[in-house]
Amino acid sequence: MIGKPLPLRDLGFQSTLELVADMPEVVRVCPYEKGTFILKAIADETTKAIAQLVARQKRSTRAQKGTAWKAGAASPKNSQSSPRRRRAPVLPATVKAELQDLLS
């Protein structure tokens, strides 16, 4: 959306999935099927009405398949169980706010 890659390494993350898994107040990683998952944005006060409208929509199989991604070795479950995982730094509030804007 902004035309630049996320600065994952600068923020102390190895993957986008690791980044979003470290922001449970902004996005939730939900298991889906056989190694896939769905990212769900967490609604705040400004986006609750939109979230309710989306929740009422009839879900189509095609739309659900389009949002599922292969987790593979990068899943939060696998990366958290790794004994070599270092604790990522706290994400700056400005970055969290920008990601929350993108998700809403």
Side-chain angles (χ1 to χ4, degrees):
M1 186 168 183
I2 59 172
K4 298 179 188 176
L6 291 171
L8 297 172
R9 303 255 190 259
D10 294 342
L11 296 170
F13 297 99
Q14 299 298 314
S15 68
T16 306
L17 184 57
E18 191 177 301
L19 170 76
V20 297
D22 199 52
M23 300 186 314
E25 68 280 357
V26 176
V27 65
R28 183 176 31 180
V29 180
C30 302
Y32 185 61
E33 296 175 344
K34 297 182 184 178
T36 62
F37 59 91
I38 296 175
L39 300 178
K40 293 186 178 183
I42 306 295
D44 64 6
E45 291 303 317
T46 61
T47 59
K48 272 188 180 175
I50 296 169
Q52 289 172 348
L53 290 172
V54 171
R56 285 189 218 136
Q57 287 180 340
K58 184 175 182 179
R59 294 184 180 172
S60 69
T61 305
R62 182 177 178 199
Q64 288 176 352
K65 285 184 180 178
T67 57
W69 292 71
K70 290 283 182 192
S75 74
K77 184 178 179 181
N78 292 342
S79 63
Q80 288 175 355
S81 62
S82 172
R84 296 181 299 174
R85 183 175 188 224
R86 59 178 161 62
R87 181 70 186 137
V90 175
L91 203 58
T94 55
V95 174
K96 282 187 181 182
E98 287 177 10
L99 286 171
Q100 197 162 15
D101 280 347
L102 287 172
L103 290 169
S104 64

